[in-house]
Amino acid sequence: MSGAGDAGSLRVELGARAYPIHFGPLEGGALAADVARRTEAGRRDAVVLDAAVAGAHGDMLERVFQGLPVLEVLGGEPSKDFATFEAVCDYLATERVDRSGALYAVGGGVIGDLAGFAAAAYLRGVRLYQVPTTLLAMVDSSVGGKTGINLRSGKNLVGAFHQPSAVYVDTGFLRSLPEREFRAGMAEVVKYGMLGDAALFDELEAIGGGLGPEHPALASIIRRNCALKAEIVRADETEQAASGGRALLNLGHTFGHAIEAVAGYGSYLHGEAVAVGLVLATELSVRLGLIEAAYAERVEAVLGTIGLPTRLTKPLAAEALLEAMRSDKKNRDGRLTFIVLEVPGRAVTRSGIEESVIRDLWLARGAR
Ligand SMILES: NC(=O)c1ccc[n+]([C@@H]2O[C@H](COP(=O)([O-])OP(=O)(O)OC[C@H]3O[C@@H](n4cnc5c(N)ncnc54)[C@H](O)[C@@H]3O)[C@@H](O)[C@H]2O)c1
């Protein structure tokens, strides 16, 4: 399914937990080979599959998974709940997946997080293989081992670190992905350019809005994102670094999560909220005197050409947004912590920022 030139693999170097990220078509590729090898060895494995992906790629997946039991689950945030988590665990038990068995998570970030958490918890942990089918999942959620579900009081509040045994990236899945979902995933791609790969940002600027599923540069851009994420995860696997480290991947997310929480989950796609958050994080970096205002304009222009929002689409209360930020997981000792840009292409953690500065930024981007 994938275009030529995007095959091969790279490794997430985590000592005993190291694993490959394979690039290229699933059929006739590394996944098909691994499934065949495990089936021959008599392993009892199962698949959790996004229902939309089943609809668009069912025949190909049937050939790759060769009759393994498949549980279809709806994509979308509501599936990251206890009821669906229980259903996945029960399914594994019904299919008699044992400690030598494995779970293949085939879908977007929702299926990856949900099934990943089930793999972490069922029998106190079975093997997990990630097969991302959205752009967001390919560049971000399938790599790094964060799994989890939501509580009514907040997103991703219950979960576990559970590294996959392998990740298989086949960009052919993106052809059936709704355009809005593709654009939302692009927000994370822009984020990587901003926090760790200035040349990637320049490239995205040059390509403008033309980076669709068929673009010849897409596969190598996804691969660069994975390499950057792999390196950040290698250096700080469980986000323990006092400053910097894995938390840097949250550039724009403190603002973005607040938008999602206040607007109600579902009004903005995650990537859309992150896009507004990236603009705000850049403007904060300008306010702190770290970078030039011209770079903030470039960030806004790149996101705008992709078709992502750069300000609130409906006014939200600044006070409510600030309140949501006060419960951000990055905060330490009750102080707001942000990821800001030190220079274009390099991010750092900053805490102790005055709330009035953040309020002004919100008001200038459509809050009331
Ligand atoms: N674990 C991590 O490190 C991490 C990182 C970032 C985000 N996340 C999580 O990822 C989730 C968002 O992931 P997402 O944006 O992939 O959403 P998603 O999994 O809900 O997928 C978006 C939509 O696209 C559909 N879909 C998926 N693949 C498709 C395809 N190939 N063709 C057609 N339709 C397809 C899904 O059914 C769904 O409706 C959030 O819950 C977020 O918290 C996790």
Side-chain angles (χ1 to χ4, degrees):
M1 280 203 303
S2 311
D6 62 345
S9 64
L10 56 86
R11 265 184 96 66
V12 185
E13 295 295 352
L14 286 172
R17 289 179 307 290
Y19 54 93
I21 307 174
H22 297 290
F23 299 89
L26 299 189
E27 225 176 346
L31 177 59
D34 287 347
V35 170
R37 181 178 46 77
R38 292 184 56 80
T39 306
E40 269 160 39
R43 306 290 191 219
R44 296 192 74 93
D45 297 347
V47 180
V48 175
L49 172 61
D50 184 303
V53 177
H57 306 274
D59 293 348
M60 180 275 285
L61 290 168
E62 233 168 71
R63 291 194 294 274
V64 168
F65 286 113
Q66 308 178 9
L68 287 187
V70 176
L71 176 68
E72 282 187 29
V73 174
L74 291 176
E77 209 59 37
S79 290
K80 274 174 63 171
D81 67 351
F82 275 102
T84 319
F85 170 71
E86 186 183 358
V88 174
C89 293
D90 260 332
Y91 185 74
L92 297 178
T94 310
E95 292 300 331
R96 300 212 168 75
V97 173
D98 59 22
R99 285 219 167 106
S100 64
L103 195 164
Y104 295 88
V106 186
V110 164
I111 300 299
D113 280 12
L114 167 78
F117 184 41
Y122 175 72
L123 303 182
R124 301 199 182 85
V126 295
R127 269 175 190 276
L128 167 69
Y129 293 95
Q130 290 275 12
V131 185
T133 63
T134 62
L135 181 57
L136 178 137
M138 288 179 192
V139 300
D140 203 349
S141 59
S142 65
V143 176
K146 278 191 184 178
T147 71
I149 56 175
N150 303 326
L151 290 183
R152 234 169 270 131
S153 33
K155 241 176 89 108
N156 300 331
L157 289 184
V158 175
F161 283 100
H162 189 58
Q163 296 293 345
S165 297
V167 181
Y168 308 87
V169 177
D170 181 346
T171 55
F173 281 115
L174 300 177
R175 291 190 196 126
S176 59
L177 189 68
E179 233 181 280
R180 184 176 170 202
E181 296 287 350
F182 184 88
R183 284 200 298 269
M186 281 301 296
E188 305 286 354
V189 176
V190 172
K191 177 194 81 175
Y192 281 106
M194 291 170 65
L195 73 85
D197 188 343
L200 170 64
F201 185 85
D202 294 346
E203 194 178 335
L204 294 172
E205 222 172 16
I207 296 174
L211 192 67
E214 307 291 344
H215 197 285
L218 181 66
S220 75
I221 286 175
I222 290 174
R223 199 189 171 99
R224 253 160 99 175
N225 280 242
C226 288
L228 194 56
K229 174 135 190 195
E231 177 47 32
I232 290 174
V233 168
R234 184 201 60 73
D236 183 22
E237 184 183 2
T238 54
E239 209 165 316
Q240 298 297 315
S243 71
R246 192 165 178 168
L248 299 184
L249 293 169
N250 280 309
L251 179 68
H253 284 57
T254 314
F255 294 101
H257 285 155
I259 296 173
E260 284 180 277
V262 176
Y265 294 110
S267 323
Y268 287 77
L269 294 179
H270 175 67
E272 293 168 347
V274 166
V276 181
L278 289 174
V279 173
L280 284 156
T282 318
E283 286 177 340
L284 175 59
S285 317
V286 174
R287 283 284 181 97
L288 297 175
L290 296 167
I291 58 164
E292 305 279 333
Y295 186 71
E297 285 163 24
R298 286 175 63 193
V299 168
E300 187 170 358
V302 168
L303 294 167
T305 6
I306 291 167
L308 285 163
T310 54
R311 54 186 293 113
L312 296 177
T313 47
K314 271 187 255 152
L316 301 172
E319 261 331 298
L321 292 160
L322 279 167
E323 183 53 32
M325 293 173 115
R326 290 184 198 115
S327 52
D328 189 88
K329 286 204 281 297
K330 284 186 301 304
N331 292 342
R332 292 285 178 267
D333 308 323
R335 284 158 25 125
L336 290 184
T337 302
F338 290 89
I339 312 302
V340 292
L341 293 174
E342 201 172 35
V343 292
R346 199 166 72 228
V348 287
T349 326
R350 277 290 164 92
S351 58
I353 292 163
E354 291 293 320
E355 282 196 10
S356 60
V357 174
I358 307 300
R359 186 178 293 105
D360 286 351
L361 292 174
W362 279 122
L363 292 173
R365 287 280 153 193
R368 60 177 154 75

